[in-house]
Amino acid sequence: MDGNCIFCDIVANRAEAARIDSNDLCVAFLDASPINPGHTLVVPRQHLVDIHSLEGAVCASLFDLARRVSSLLRDSTVPCEGINLLMSNGAVAGQSVFHAHLHVVPRNRNDGFSMSELHPPPPPGRGVGARGGLWRRERGPGRNDS
């Protein structure tokens, strides 16, 4: 636990949050500044900074809990036509609390939130195929870094 981390404080019950669900390795609670009603954060109980810090069991637990929260939202009275799962890693990507967390965001048509603003189209010749080719070359033959 990090003494200056609000998510560690929530996990340890030193700070209030509306808990939604939990498992052995992770906790889900409502976001204090929600994009939409029902916006939930899923965090590991252990203080881990970002996705690169998550080992397999914690990562699986994080996504399993996000799946459960998604189902709870879908079956609740919260308006929810769809779900976004979002995770920012690093300040340049918009991470503001440096404790790994996955946003589970209920979505509705015309809710005012747009992912397109976050991802402008790539310049010509720099689309998914071009990036994929570069990624394969950088990894090199026989490497499995995934």
Side-chain angles (χ1 to χ4, degrees):
M1 301 263 169
D2 182 322
N4 297 318
C5 175
I6 185 62
F7 292 169
C8 286
D9 288 344
I10 290 169
V11 167
N13 293 312
R14 292 188 303 262
E16 284 191 37
R19 289 180 182 237
I20 301 300
D21 200 356
S22 65
N23 60 31
D24 289 344
L25 299 176
C26 298
V27 175
F29 52 89
L30 292 178
D31 192 306
S33 301
I35 291 172
N36 284 327
H39 178 171
T40 302
L41 301 178
V42 181
V43 306
R45 291 180 184 275
Q46 181 182 2
H47 183 82
L48 300 166
V49 174
D50 58 23
I51 196 167
H52 307 289
S53 307
L54 303 178
E55 52 94 2
V58 174
C59 192
S61 183
L62 187 84
F63 276 89
D64 184 59
L65 188 53
R67 180 194 52 79
R68 287 183 4 207
V69 168
S70 295
S71 295
L72 289 170
L73 286 166
R74 181 192 60 208
D75 298 339
S76 75
T77 59
V78 172
C80 181
E81 296 174 45
I83 298 279
N84 278 127
L85 299 179
L86 305 168
M87 186 176 208
S88 300
N89 295 281
V92 71
Q95 185 177 9
S96 59
V97 177
F98 292 90
H99 182 127
H101 57 286
L102 185 62
H103 295 259
V104 181
V105 183
R107 297 298 308 278
N108 297 288
R109 194 174 323 280
N110 301 317
D111 64 9
F113 181 69
S114 175
M115 299 273 295
S116 63
E117 294 171 7
L118 300 175
H119 302 286
R126 310 263 330 193
V128 173
R131 286 192 301 259
L134 177 63
W135 180 74
R136 283 190 295 275
R137 281 193 303 276
E138 288 177 346
R139 283 182 49 201
R143 287 190 58 194
N144 184 5
D145 293 337
S146 55

